[in-house]
Amino acid sequence: MVGCVIADDDEVIGEGWHRRFGFAHAEVEALTVAGPRARGATAYVTLEPCCHFGKTHPCTQALIAAGIRRVVAALADPFPHISGRGFRELTAAGIEVEIGLMESEARRLNAPYLKRITTGRPWVIAKWAMTLDGKLATRSGDSRWISGPESREIVHQLRGRADAILIGRGTAAADDPLLTARPAGPRIATRIVLDSRAALDPNSQLVRTARDTPLLVAAGPEATESDRARLAAAGSEVFVCEAPDHRGRLGQLLDELGRRQMTNVLVEGGSGLLGCLFDAREIDEVHVFIAPKFCGGQAAPTPIAGAGIDRMAQALMLEDPQVKHVGPDLYLSGRIARSPNSSA
Protein backbone atom coordinates (compact mmCIF):
# COMPACT_ATOMS: atom_id res chain seq x y z
CA MET A 1 0.00 0.00 0.00
CA VAL A 2 2.24 2.76 -1.30
CA GLY A 3 1.50 6.33 -2.22
CA CYS A 4 3.79 9.09 -3.43
CA VAL A 5 3.45 12.87 -3.61
CA ILE A 6 6.00 15.09 -5.38
CA ALA A 7 6.17 18.69 -4.24
CA ASP A 8 8.06 21.78 -5.35
CA ASP A 9 8.27 23.69 -2.07
CA ASP A 10 4.60 23.83 -0.97
CA GLU A 11 3.10 23.07 -4.40
CA VAL A 12 2.06 19.50 -5.21
CA ILE A 13 3.15 18.72 -8.77
CA GLY A 14 2.62 14.98 -8.92
CA GLU A 15 0.74 12.19 -7.14
CA GLY A 16 0.63 8.44 -7.63
CA TRP A 17 -0.16 5.16 -5.92
CA HIS A 18 0.52 1.48 -6.50
CA ARG A 19 -2.75 0.31 -7.97
CA ARG A 20 -2.12 -3.42 -8.35
CA PHE A 21 0.65 -6.00 -8.17
CA GLY A 22 2.72 -5.78 -11.35
CA PHE A 23 1.51 -2.27 -12.18
CA ALA A 24 3.64 0.89 -12.06
CA HIS A 25 4.81 1.79 -8.57
CA ALA A 26 3.67 4.95 -6.81
CA GLU A 27 6.89 6.86 -7.46
CA VAL A 28 6.76 6.19 -11.20
CA GLU A 29 3.12 7.28 -11.40
CA ALA A 30 3.90 10.51 -9.52
CA LEU A 31 6.97 11.23 -11.62
CA THR A 32 4.94 10.76 -14.80
CA VAL A 33 2.45 13.38 -13.60
CA ALA A 34 5.18 15.81 -12.49
CA GLY A 35 7.18 15.49 -15.71
CA PRO A 36 10.23 17.80 -16.04
CA ARG A 37 9.12 19.77 -12.97
CA ALA A 38 10.28 16.85 -10.81
CA ARG A 39 13.91 18.04 -11.13
CA GLY A 40 14.92 19.61 -7.82
CA ALA A 41 11.64 18.63 -6.12
CA THR A 42 10.89 16.48 -3.05
CA ALA A 43 9.25 13.06 -3.19
CA TYR A 44 7.17 12.02 -0.17
CA VAL A 45 6.52 8.27 -0.11
CA THR A 46 4.98 5.88 2.41
CA LEU A 47 7.57 3.11 1.90
CA GLU A 48 11.24 2.92 0.99
CA PRO A 49 11.62 3.06 -2.82
CA CYS A 50 12.46 -0.30 -4.38
CA CYS A 51 15.94 -0.82 -5.80
CA HIS A 52 15.65 -4.16 -7.56
CA PHE A 53 14.19 -5.51 -10.78
CA GLY A 54 10.92 -7.36 -10.16
CA LYS A 55 7.66 -6.88 -12.02
CA THR A 56 8.81 -3.28 -12.62
CA HIS A 57 12.06 -1.34 -12.86
CA PRO A 58 13.70 0.07 -9.70
CA CYS A 59 12.01 3.20 -8.37
CA THR A 60 15.34 4.45 -7.05
CA GLN A 61 16.68 4.71 -10.60
CA ALA A 62 13.53 6.53 -11.73
CA LEU A 63 13.89 9.07 -8.90
CA ILE A 64 17.57 9.59 -9.67
CA ALA A 65 16.96 9.98 -13.40
CA ALA A 66 14.18 12.51 -12.76
CA GLY A 67 16.53 14.72 -10.73
CA ILE A 68 14.65 14.47 -7.43
CA ARG A 69 16.53 16.47 -4.76
CA ARG A 70 15.05 14.96 -1.58
CA VAL A 71 13.11 11.81 -0.61
CA VAL A 72 11.01 11.74 2.56
CA ALA A 73 9.87 8.20 3.42
CA ALA A 74 7.64 7.03 6.24
CA LEU A 75 9.44 3.73 6.85
CA ALA A 76 12.00 1.28 5.54
CA ASP A 77 10.86 -1.71 3.52
CA PRO A 78 11.80 -4.99 5.28
CA PHE A 79 11.64 -6.94 2.00
CA PRO A 80 15.03 -8.70 1.81
CA HIS A 81 15.90 -7.33 -1.65
CA ILE A 82 15.39 -3.76 -0.37
CA SER A 83 15.79 -3.39 3.44
CA GLY A 84 17.78 -0.14 3.43
CA ARG A 85 19.47 -0.64 0.06
CA GLY A 86 17.03 1.76 -1.58
CA PHE A 87 17.93 4.54 0.83
CA ARG A 88 21.67 3.87 0.43
CA GLU A 89 21.37 3.99 -3.35
CA LEU A 90 19.57 7.34 -3.22
CA THR A 91 22.11 8.77 -0.77
CA ALA A 92 24.99 7.60 -2.96
CA ALA A 93 23.42 9.51 -5.86
CA GLY A 94 23.45 12.72 -3.82
CA ILE A 95 19.75 12.69 -2.89
CA GLU A 96 18.87 13.85 0.61
CA VAL A 97 16.92 11.13 2.47
CA GLU A 98 14.69 11.53 5.52
CA ILE A 99 12.99 8.58 7.21
CA GLY A 100 10.18 8.41 9.77
CA LEU A 101 7.62 11.07 8.84
CA MET A 102 4.17 9.63 9.79
CA GLU A 103 5.76 6.23 10.42
CA SER A 104 2.98 4.95 12.72
CA GLU A 105 0.31 5.72 10.13
CA ALA A 106 2.32 3.98 7.40
CA ARG A 107 2.86 0.93 9.62
CA ARG A 108 -0.86 0.65 10.22
CA LEU A 109 -1.59 1.05 6.51
CA ASN A 110 0.91 -1.65 5.60
CA ALA A 111 0.42 -3.96 8.60
CA PRO A 112 -0.63 -6.99 6.48
CA TYR A 113 2.40 -6.67 4.18
CA LEU A 114 4.78 -6.06 7.09
CA LYS A 115 3.48 -9.13 8.91
CA ARG A 116 3.97 -11.39 5.91
CA ILE A 117 7.47 -10.12 5.21
CA THR A 118 8.67 -10.28 8.83
CA THR A 119 6.90 -13.47 10.02
CA GLY A 120 6.29 -15.37 6.78
CA ARG A 121 2.58 -15.63 7.54
CA PRO A 122 -0.41 -13.71 6.12
CA TRP A 123 -2.63 -11.19 7.88
CA VAL A 124 -5.61 -13.16 9.24
CA ILE A 125 -9.04 -11.52 9.09
CA ALA A 126 -11.83 -13.26 11.01
CA LYS A 127 -15.40 -12.64 9.90
CA TRP A 128 -18.68 -13.93 11.27
CA ALA A 129 -22.35 -13.05 11.59
CA MET A 130 -24.16 -13.81 14.83
CA THR A 131 -27.39 -13.20 16.66
CA LEU A 132 -27.68 -10.84 19.60
CA ASP A 133 -27.22 -13.79 21.96
CA GLY A 134 -24.02 -14.81 20.21
CA LYS A 135 -25.13 -17.71 18.01
CA LEU A 136 -23.79 -18.61 14.57
CA ALA A 137 -26.79 -20.83 13.83
CA THR A 138 -29.79 -22.44 15.47
CA ARG A 139 -29.49 -25.69 17.41
CA SER A 140 -30.27 -27.57 14.16
CA GLY A 141 -27.42 -25.77 12.33
CA ASP A 142 -29.61 -23.45 10.23
CA SER A 143 -27.89 -20.11 9.61
CA ARG A 144 -29.53 -18.59 6.51
CA TRP A 145 -29.75 -15.81 6.96
CA ILE A 146 -28.57 -14.29 10.24
CA SER A 147 -27.48 -10.96 8.81
CA GLY A 148 -29.29 -8.73 6.35
CA PRO A 149 -28.46 -8.15 2.67
CA GLU A 150 -26.55 -4.94 3.45
CA SER A 151 -24.18 -6.86 5.71
CA ARG A 152 -23.72 -9.61 3.16
CA GLU A 153 -22.79 -7.00 0.57
CA ILE A 154 -19.91 -5.87 2.81
CA VAL A 155 -18.79 -9.50 3.14
CA HIS A 156 -18.54 -9.74 -0.63
CA GLN A 157 -16.41 -6.60 -0.64
CA LEU A 158 -14.11 -8.19 1.95
CA ARG A 159 -13.86 -11.32 -0.20
CA GLY A 160 -12.94 -9.24 -3.23
CA ARG A 161 -9.88 -7.84 -1.43
CA ALA A 162 -8.63 -11.14 0.01
CA ASP A 163 -5.93 -13.42 -1.39
CA ALA A 164 -7.58 -16.46 0.20
CA ILE A 165 -10.81 -17.39 1.98
CA LEU A 166 -10.50 -20.12 4.59
CA ILE A 167 -13.17 -22.35 6.16
CA GLY A 168 -13.30 -25.67 7.97
CA ARG A 169 -14.82 -28.84 6.53
CA GLY A 170 -17.81 -28.59 8.90
CA THR A 171 -18.75 -25.21 7.48
CA ALA A 172 -18.29 -26.52 3.95
CA ALA A 173 -20.64 -29.43 4.67
CA ALA A 174 -23.26 -27.43 6.58
CA ASP A 175 -23.49 -24.36 4.32
CA ASP A 176 -22.27 -25.59 0.90
CA PRO A 177 -20.82 -22.11 0.24
CA LEU A 178 -19.42 -20.81 -3.01
CA LEU A 179 -16.97 -18.39 -1.32
CA THR A 180 -16.66 -16.00 -4.24
CA ALA A 181 -17.03 -12.23 -4.33
CA ARG A 182 -20.22 -11.14 -6.07
CA PRO A 183 -19.67 -8.88 -7.89
CA ALA A 184 -16.00 -9.69 -8.38
CA GLY A 185 -13.46 -7.52 -6.60
CA PRO A 186 -9.90 -6.56 -7.55
CA ARG A 187 -8.59 -9.98 -6.44
CA ILE A 188 -9.72 -13.54 -7.06
CA ALA A 189 -9.31 -15.31 -3.73
CA THR A 190 -8.16 -18.92 -3.50
CA ARG A 191 -10.82 -20.82 -1.59
CA ILE A 192 -9.32 -23.05 1.10
CA VAL A 193 -10.96 -25.83 3.10
CA LEU A 194 -9.28 -27.44 6.10
CA ASP A 195 -10.30 -31.04 5.55
CA SER A 196 -8.04 -33.58 7.25
CA ARG A 197 -9.42 -36.58 5.34
CA ALA A 198 -9.86 -34.81 1.99
CA ALA A 199 -13.47 -35.97 2.10
CA LEU A 200 -15.04 -32.83 0.62
CA ASP A 201 -18.28 -33.66 -1.19
CA PRO A 202 -17.61 -33.88 -4.95
CA ASN A 203 -21.08 -32.40 -5.56
CA SER A 204 -20.43 -29.34 -3.41
CA GLN A 205 -20.36 -25.93 -5.02
CA LEU A 206 -16.69 -25.60 -4.11
CA VAL A 207 -15.60 -28.75 -5.95
CA ARG A 208 -17.92 -28.23 -8.90
CA THR A 209 -16.43 -24.77 -9.52
CA ALA A 210 -12.79 -25.69 -8.80
CA ARG A 211 -11.78 -25.30 -12.45
CA ASP A 212 -13.22 -21.77 -12.53
CA THR A 213 -12.05 -20.43 -9.16
CA PRO A 214 -9.00 -21.84 -7.33
CA LEU A 215 -9.77 -24.36 -4.58
CA LEU A 216 -7.13 -25.67 -2.19
CA VAL A 217 -7.92 -28.51 0.21
CA ALA A 218 -5.58 -28.63 3.23
CA ALA A 219 -5.54 -32.31 4.15
CA GLY A 220 -3.72 -34.38 6.74
CA PRO A 221 -1.57 -37.47 6.25
CA GLU A 222 -4.61 -39.64 7.03
CA ALA A 223 -6.24 -38.58 3.74
CA THR A 224 -6.19 -41.54 1.36
CA GLU A 225 -4.46 -41.35 -2.00
CA SER A 226 -7.77 -42.08 -3.71
CA ASP A 227 -9.52 -39.14 -2.02
CA ARG A 228 -6.63 -36.82 -2.84
CA ALA A 229 -6.67 -38.00 -6.45
CA ARG A 230 -10.46 -37.56 -6.64
CA LEU A 231 -10.24 -33.91 -5.61
CA ALA A 232 -7.24 -33.26 -7.86
CA ALA A 233 -9.09 -34.77 -10.82
CA ALA A 234 -11.95 -32.31 -10.18
CA GLY A 235 -9.54 -29.38 -10.46
CA SER A 236 -8.72 -28.86 -6.78
CA GLU A 237 -5.24 -28.62 -5.35
CA VAL A 238 -4.53 -30.79 -2.30
CA PHE A 239 -1.89 -29.59 0.15
CA VAL A 240 -0.95 -32.12 2.83
CA CYS A 241 -0.12 -30.77 6.30
CA GLU A 242 1.99 -33.37 8.11
CA ALA A 243 1.71 -32.03 11.69
CA PRO A 244 0.00 -34.42 14.16
CA ASP A 245 -2.59 -31.93 15.50
CA HIS A 246 -4.95 -29.28 14.14
CA ARG A 247 -2.98 -26.35 15.53
CA GLY A 248 0.25 -27.58 13.96
CA ARG A 249 -1.44 -28.18 10.62
CA LEU A 250 -2.96 -24.73 10.68
CA GLY A 251 0.48 -23.26 11.29
CA GLN A 252 1.89 -25.23 8.35
CA LEU A 253 -0.91 -23.96 6.14
CA LEU A 254 -0.30 -20.33 7.13
CA ASP A 255 3.41 -20.77 6.41
CA GLU A 256 2.58 -22.18 2.98
CA LEU A 257 0.23 -19.29 2.20
CA GLY A 258 2.99 -16.87 3.18
CA ARG A 259 5.38 -18.66 0.81
CA ARG A 260 2.79 -18.17 -1.92
CA GLN A 261 2.85 -14.43 -1.18
CA MET A 262 -0.74 -14.37 0.05
CA THR A 263 -1.01 -11.30 2.25
CA ASN A 264 -4.67 -11.18 3.38
CA VAL A 265 -6.57 -14.32 4.41
CA LEU A 266 -10.26 -14.02 5.25
CA VAL A 267 -11.53 -16.71 7.66
CA GLU A 268 -15.26 -17.37 7.52
CA GLY A 269 -15.54 -20.14 10.12
CA GLY A 270 -16.56 -22.33 11.69
CA SER A 271 -16.14 -21.96 15.41
CA GLY A 272 -13.55 -24.74 15.69
CA LEU A 273 -11.27 -23.14 13.11
CA LEU A 274 -11.72 -19.68 14.61
CA GLY A 275 -11.07 -21.12 18.06
CA CYS A 276 -7.83 -22.71 16.90
CA LEU A 277 -6.70 -19.41 15.38
CA PHE A 278 -7.71 -17.58 18.57
CA ASP A 279 -5.78 -19.98 20.81
CA ALA A 280 -2.71 -19.58 18.57
CA ARG A 281 -3.10 -15.77 18.62
CA GLU A 282 -3.11 -15.70 14.84
CA ILE A 283 -6.17 -13.47 14.35
CA ASP A 284 -5.16 -9.93 13.39
CA GLU A 285 -8.46 -8.29 12.46
CA VAL A 286 -12.16 -9.01 12.96
CA HIS A 287 -15.39 -8.09 11.15
CA VAL A 288 -18.52 -9.04 13.07
CA PHE A 289 -22.13 -8.57 11.99
CA ILE A 290 -24.60 -8.66 14.88
CA ALA A 291 -28.25 -9.18 13.97
CA PRO A 292 -31.07 -8.07 16.34
CA LYS A 293 -32.25 -11.67 16.69
CA PHE A 294 -32.21 -14.31 19.42
CA CYS A 295 -31.75 -18.07 18.94
CA GLY A 296 -31.10 -19.50 22.39
CA GLY A 297 -30.11 -23.11 22.96
CA GLN A 298 -26.99 -24.61 24.52
CA ALA A 299 -26.41 -26.66 21.37
CA ALA A 300 -26.44 -23.60 19.08
CA PRO A 301 -22.84 -22.82 18.04
CA THR A 302 -20.99 -19.69 19.11
CA PRO A 303 -18.29 -17.95 17.03
CA ILE A 304 -15.07 -19.02 18.77
CA ALA A 305 -14.55 -22.47 20.25
CA GLY A 306 -11.13 -23.88 21.11
CA ALA A 307 -9.61 -23.88 24.58
CA GLY A 308 -10.21 -20.19 25.26
CA ILE A 309 -8.80 -18.30 28.25
CA ASP A 310 -8.91 -18.80 32.02
CA ARG A 311 -9.18 -15.21 33.23
CA MET A 312 -10.90 -12.14 31.81
CA ALA A 313 -7.62 -10.26 32.18
CA GLN A 314 -6.30 -12.47 29.36
CA ALA A 315 -9.04 -11.43 26.94
CA LEU A 316 -7.91 -9.98 23.62
CA MET A 317 -8.96 -6.42 22.90
CA LEU A 318 -9.79 -4.57 19.71
CA GLU A 319 -7.79 -1.45 19.11
CA ASP A 320 -9.91 1.51 18.04
CA PRO A 321 -13.04 -0.57 17.23
CA GLN A 322 -15.45 0.81 14.63
CA VAL A 323 -19.20 0.34 15.06
CA LYS A 324 -21.88 1.27 12.55
CA HIS A 325 -25.45 0.40 11.60
CA VAL A 326 -25.76 -1.61 8.40
CA GLY A 327 -29.42 -2.16 7.58
CA PRO A 328 -30.90 -3.82 10.69
CA ASP A 329 -27.48 -5.08 11.87
CA LEU A 330 -24.61 -3.72 13.89
CA TYR A 331 -21.25 -3.99 12.13
CA LEU A 332 -18.21 -4.03 14.42
CA SER A 333 -14.68 -4.16 13.07
CA GLY A 334 -11.17 -3.58 14.31
CA ARG A 335 -7.68 -4.93 14.74
CA ILE A 336 -6.51 -7.04 17.65
CA ALA A 337 -4.39 -4.97 20.04
CA ARG A 338 -0.83 -6.17 20.01
CA SER A 339 -0.87 -7.01 23.73
CA PRO A 340 -3.81 -8.19 25.93
CA ASN A 341 -5.84 -5.42 27.54
CA SER A 342 -4.03 -2.84 25.48
CA SER A 343 -5.78 -0.50 23.10
CA ALA A 344 -2.57 1.00 21.78
Side-chain angles (χ1 to χ4, degrees):
M1 303 285 284
V2 184
C4 179
V5 171
I6 297 175
D8 183 7
D9 292 327
D10 60 354
E11 181 188 359
V12 173
I13 58 175
E15 296 180 66
W17 58 287
H18 188 201
R19 299 172 187 273
R20 186 174 294 187
F21 180 67
F23 282 37
H25 285 191
E27 297 93 325
V28 173
E29 278 210 349
L31 289 170
T32 300
V33 174
R37 297 187 65 191
R39 185 163 299 278
T42 297
Y44 298 87
V45 63
T46 53
L47 194 66
E48 177 181 2
C50 70
C51 54
H52 69 292
F53 286 89
K55 292 287 185 179
T56 62
H57 291 273
C59 290
T60 50
Q61 293 302 310
L63 292 164
I64 293 168
I68 287 291
R69 177 182 62 85
R70 184 170 66 126
V71 171
V72 180
L75 73 160
D77 189 340
F79 187 66
H81 293 300
I82 305 174
S83 193
R85 288 179 53 212
F87 292 142
R88 290 193 294 272
E89 191 171 307
L90 294 172
T91 301
I95 295 175
E96 180 184 348
V97 174
E98 297 179 22
I99 309 166
L101 179 65
M102 300 182 74
E103 179 179 355
S104 61
E105 292 89 343
R107 284 194 177 278
R108 179 173 178 82
L109 179 70
N110 277 297
Y113 167 75
L114 295 173
K115 181 190 177 185
R116 181 175 65 79
I117 293 298
T118 57
T119 72
R121 291 185 174 182
W123 185 261
V124 177
I125 305 165
K127 163 264 163 186
W128 66 83
M130 68 183 186
T131 61
L132 200 55
D133 56 340
K135 306 297 184 181
L136 292 179
T138 66
R139 64 187 183 187
S140 68
D142 180 49
S143 62
R144 292 189 177 177
W145 294 102
I146 291 176
S147 57
E150 298 89 350
S151 294
R152 298 198 295 275
E153 182 178 338
I154 293 174
V155 172
H156 283 285
Q157 293 170 6
L158 291 172
R159 288 178 177 179
R161 297 195 298 270
D163 298 301
I165 302 169
L166 175 62
I167 63 171
R169 182 177 178 274
T171 299
D175 296 346
D176 190 24
L178 190 56
L179 298 183
T180 57
R182 302 184 293 277
R187 301 181 185 179
I188 304 297
T190 296
R191 303 165 303 167
I192 304 174
V193 181
L194 273 173
D195 182 5
S196 293
R197 298 187 178 278
L200 194 60
D201 186 348
N203 294 314
S204 67
Q205 292 195 94
L206 290 167
V207 176
R208 287 190 286 108
T209 59
R211 297 191 186 282
D212 302 316
T213 306
L215 173 64
L216 186 150
V217 177
E222 62 266 40
T224 66
E225 288 291 345
S226 60
D227 281 331
R228 297 181 204 176
R230 171 181 58 81
L231 289 171
S236 309
E237 178 185 358
V238 179
F239 173 73
V240 179
C241 304
E242 299 288 351
D245 56 30
H246 291 301
R247 181 165 174 173
R249 291 176 186 180
L250 187 56
Q252 288 180 338
L253 175 62
L254 292 175
D255 288 338
E256 176 63 19
L257 299 184
R259 280 191 289 271
R260 297 183 185 206
Q261 299 187 3
M262 293 185 180
T263 302
N264 293 281
V265 174
L266 178 64
V267 183
E268 297 203 21
S271 60
L273 173 56
L274 287 168
C276 191
L277 287 165
F278 174 87
D279 291 342
R281 299 298 186 263
E282 286 288 354
I283 297 175
D284 299 295
E285 182 178 330
V286 297
H287 293 259
V288 181
F289 301 89
I290 306 170
K293 303 174 182 178
F294 297 87
C295 281
Q298 291 185 353
T302 55
I304 297 180
I309 59 172
D310 293 318
R311 297 180 296 111
M312 192 55 67
Q314 298 172 308
L316 299 187
M317 296 283 291
L318 288 188
E319 100 185 350
D320 191 24
Q322 305 296 307
V323 182
K324 63 176 71 172
H325 274 99
V326 179
D329 306 327
L330 280 179
Y331 171 33
L332 187 148
S333 62
R335 296 180 176 186
I336 301 293
R338 289 301 91 194
S339 59
N341 287 326
S342 170
S343 60

